[in-house]
Amino acid sequence: MNNNKEEKPKNNTHGGFFRKIQPRNFWHTIFGDFRDIKEFYLEEEQKNRLEGMRPIARWFYLAGWLLKSLFMKLTPIRRLLLLIAIFILFLQNSRIQFGSLGANLNFGELGGLILIFILMLELKDKLLARNELEEGRAIQMRLLPDPNPEIAGWDAWLYSKPANDVGGDLIDCIRFNDDHHILVLGDVSGKGLPAALLMVKLQATIRALFTESTRLADLGFQINQIFHRDGITSSFATLVVLDIRGDSGKIRMLNAGHTPPVFIRDGIPSPTAKGNPALGLMADTPYNVIETVMQKGDVLLVYSDGINESCDPQGECFGNDRLFSLLRKRPDIQPTDLGVRILEAVQHFRGEARPEDDQTLLILKYCGQ
């Protein structure tokens, strides 16, 4: 028999609901949400005009533009309800009496109820969209490859994190056999769901077209034609494909408009040659293939612009200079440790600013002969 008395749960009702809200986090969240509101509701022209206004005029114009934009983003029925609610609120001192019981309705209360009803409708739409995005994110996460694929003679680390719920960066590893692997990193223009859908299409196209005997140049040409034919107007994608066969240290690389990968030998980083145009810009673009022979200890870094173009709260970008300086400090570091170090440096530089773009890394180190 257990003689220990069952411990009664502590009563946290007085602070349970608010215990995770700290004063600093509260105001940081409020100001962050207000910045997001301005970013979402205001057009670029309006933002530029606000910069040149006096403080009082700026707040009046800001309030007016925000209300107008909010009104125009509502559905027609909800716009009508909002107008009715605002009109009724001006009659809040009037009352309507119902029957002999003397029950009455305050116009102000009625206007408030209509506003709450509109808020509930908008929240319902947001939660439905949120659930769909969360499901999309879960699917996208399942499409990610093993972060440390086993490649004979090589040590690899693959990483991708979207800035929003879903992203447009592509990272993939295609294994044909123990001696033949394809590593892919791509970046679709745009953000959010449209970019994510195009990214999935790009990934499926690569996997469908690439066979063990496919030439990289032909692959680039075919993918570009399909992406140009089926892509959305003004959309494009950058892409780096690495073809690794055996443990000889030889890499065949195709670069379609992506930031040049960085080759690191003895702690000295140097960007590879600039690639061909991005996918989707021109239908019949030819693509060249670069062959590189790596020595033991050499590292190849491929990254998306969410790394070097990550900005701090003042708008300054992390940049390639900071990235290259980081790469010089530990020439013998392993790919996983190097990737974590890069991400930590970018996060520290960005501070409290929100990430504006997806962050994707492909780091490959030759450990063979």
Side-chain angles (χ1 to χ4, degrees):
M1 180 177 180
N2 187 357
N3 295 323
N4 294 331
K5 294 182 179 180
E6 184 178 350
E7 185 178 354
K8 294 182 179 180
K10 296 181 180 179
N11 186 2
N12 291 325
T13 56
H14 64 282
F17 188 77
F18 298 103
R19 66 177 180 271
K20 292 185 178 180
I21 301 179
Q22 302 297 328
R24 181 177 180 276
N25 293 336
F26 174 79
W27 290 112
H28 173 70
T29 302
I30 293 297
F31 288 129
D33 288 343
F34 185 66
R35 286 194 299 268
D36 292 342
I37 287 174
K38 291 193 295 183
E39 186 68 26
F40 179 75
Y41 283 106
L42 297 184
E43 299 178 357
E44 288 300 323
E45 180 184 356
Q46 294 172 330
K47 297 174 188 175
N48 295 333
R49 288 182 60 185
L50 287 175
E51 293 296 327
M53 294 183 182
R54 296 180 180 274
I56 296 179
R58 183 186 304 136
W59 282 106
F60 273 107
Y61 274 92
L62 177 61
W65 285 338
L66 288 177
L67 289 175
K68 179 182 177 181
S69 181
L70 168 64
F71 181 78
M72 297 306 297
K73 289 183 183 296
L74 294 174
T75 62
I77 295 297
R78 295 176 192 178
R79 291 180 200 169
L80 179 60
L81 287 175
L82 180 59
L83 289 176
I84 294 173
I86 294 174
F87 176 76
I88 290 177
L89 286 174
F90 282 105
L91 303 176
Q92 58 181 332
N93 293 327
S94 303
R95 308 178 75 88
I96 300 177
Q97 186 164 339
F98 295 94
S100 59
L101 296 177
N104 55 65
L105 178 64
N106 186 298
F107 272 101
E109 295 172 353
L110 178 59
L113 289 174
I114 295 176
L115 289 177
I116 292 175
F117 179 65
I118 296 173
L119 177 62
M120 292 175 64
L121 292 175
E122 291 294 310
L123 183 59
K124 180 262 298 181
D125 291 346
K126 177 181 178 180
L127 292 178
L128 287 175
R130 181 73 180 179
N131 291 338
E132 292 178 356
L133 283 175
E134 288 179 351
E135 293 175 1
R137 179 183 178 87
I139 293 174
Q140 196 171 54
M141 292 299 103
R142 286 197 291 268
L143 292 176
L144 292 177
D146 184 344
N148 296 108
E150 294 185 4
I151 305 175
W154 303 84
D155 189 3
W157 188 66
L158 313 180
Y159 173 88
S160 185
K161 182 180 180 181
N164 301 310
D165 294 288
V166 291
D169 278 7
L170 165 64
I171 189 78
D172 201 3
C173 176
I174 305 174
R175 178 185 180 277
F176 293 106
N177 52 59
D178 291 342
D179 294 326
H180 189 190
H181 293 76
I182 301 297
L183 300 179
V184 181
L185 188 149
D187 186 358
V188 176
S189 62
K191 299 178 183 178
L193 188 57
L197 293 174
L198 288 175
M199 183 278 289
V200 173
K201 177 180 175 62
L202 178 60
Q203 183 180 28
T205 302
I206 294 173
R207 283 184 166 267
L209 292 178
F210 211 109
T211 64
E212 194 169 357
S213 59
T214 301
R215 296 175 62 249
L216 271 186
D218 295 339
L219 175 71
F221 183 81
Q222 291 175 313
I223 294 175
N224 177 65
Q225 284 192 316
I226 294 174
F227 203 80
H228 182 271
R229 181 194 66 196
D230 300 340
I232 302 173
T233 304
S234 75
S235 66
F236 63 91
T238 64
L239 184 71
V240 172
V241 182
L242 305 179
D243 188 349
I244 304 172
R245 299 173 186 257
D247 60 353
S248 63
K250 181 183 292 185
I251 294 180
R252 301 174 70 247
M253 178 173 64
L254 179 146
N255 185 349
H258 198 79
T259 303
V262 181
F263 178 72
I264 309 167
R265 174 173 291 172
D266 298 327
I268 302 176
S270 57
T272 57
K274 189 176 180 180
N276 298 112
L279 303 173
L281 296 179
M282 297 175 288
D284 298 321
T285 302
Y287 287 89
N288 302 323
V289 175
I290 301 172
E291 289 193 3
T292 302
V293 178
M294 299 179 66
Q295 299 178 7
K296 186 174 182 179
D298 289 349
V299 174
L300 185 67
L301 168 65
V302 190
Y303 57 96
S304 67
D305 54 11
I307 300 296
N308 59 324
E309 295 182 5
S310 184
C311 296
D312 64 8
Q314 288 71 43
E316 182 181 357
C317 291
F318 186 75
N320 286 331
D321 290 341
R322 289 186 177 88
L323 177 61
F324 282 26
S325 176
L326 183 66
L327 298 177
R328 294 187 189 98
K329 293 180 180 179
R330 290 285 303 276
D332 58 339
I333 196 169
Q334 296 302 309
T336 301
D337 297 331
L338 176 59
V340 171
R341 185 170 182 173
I342 292 173
L343 294 173
E344 289 177 346
V346 172
Q347 173 63 43
H348 182 267
F349 174 82
R350 191 175 66 239
E352 296 181 349
R354 293 184 59 181
E356 295 292 333
D357 207 347
D358 308 330
Q359 295 182 340
T360 304
L361 290 168
L362 189 164
I363 305 177
L364 189 65
K365 183 175 183 178
Y366 182 52
C367 307
Q369 302 173 358

